[in-house]
Amino acid sequence: MLSSTSASTLHLHSHATSFGFKEVKEEEKAEMVGNVFTNVATTYDLMNDLMSAGLHRLWKDRLVSKLNPFPGMKHLDVAGGTGDVAFRILESINRVRQRGLRDVFEDSLKADTQIYVCDINPKMLNVGKQRALEKGFGENGSLIWVEGNAESLSFQNDSMDGYTIAFGIRNVTHIEKVLSEAHRVLKRGGRFLCLELSHVGIPVFKELYDYYSFSVIPSMGELVAGDRESYQYLVESIRRFPSQEKFASMIADAGFQKVEYENLVGGVVAIHSGLKL
């Protein structure tokens, strides 16, 4: 017969997942991750600038360039609360029109363009809505803010032309469910794109990156955001995320085809893509 201590340990590990380097119950992880992003929401974009020396802006530009947005598209940006990716998509669509290509499309498509920003954290969404007002997107009916869970989306099957998730998928409890939901909501021919902090393969660079991650970033989080623990979780969660090859195979297992990835800055980040055919 199992002791109560052994039984509780067995129960924990039968439904356990990672929160950084810690093992926690699956039902606890979403709340713990939610607390992290509630704590960092107001300084999230500033910390991204500081941690990446502004490179995250170029990485997101690259992500959107791979999406190739077009007027009239219906797009879903998941874990996109502060709006960084969604704003870039709208700006890209506006540039298409300004280049004189508008005549290729029906005028009605402008009104039909819908960019959904889905995030599980209402505080992150509030930051995004405020930023939208500041950027002049506040009256833009193309931008739709939705509080929702990436593992159980509220959108219909085959309803989206594109799906992006930037720096979000490593925070979910079940990566496989997120990928399955992405595949479900995309139309045939729709593209899945994921920008995520990943794994550095060059030994010397890896040592420097590890030092920066574990020694500098948490201290920076404490100094700027007053929150060391959230940024300790950040760097630990990167190390627990699957390798580029493993993640690519998970995307393929979800039903996507033509799966590929591009390493940026030696694998500090990677952009994975796949098509629903």
Side-chain angles (χ1 to χ4, degrees), residues 154-175:
S154 59
F155 302 96
Q156 294 181 352
N157 295 353
D158 308 305
S159 59
M160 297 292 166
D161 296 296
Y163 176 114
T164 48
I165 181 166
F167 305 124
I169 202 165
R170 74 178 187 284
N171 297 308
V172 305
T173 304
H174 304 99
I175 293 173

Side-chain angles (χ1 to χ4, degrees), residues 76-81 116-119 148-150 153 163-166 168 178:
L76 176 60
D77 181 43
V78 173
Y116 294 88
V117 184
C118 178
D119 201 294
N149 189 331
L153 296 170
Y163 176 114
T164 48
I165 181 166
V178 175

Side-chain angles (χ1 to χ4, degrees), residues 54 81 115 125 135 157 159 187 193-195 214 230:
I115 311 299
L125 287 169
K135 286 178 169 288
N157 295 353
S159 59
K187 300 176 184 177
L193 284 161
C194 175
L195 171 64
F214 289 100
S230 291

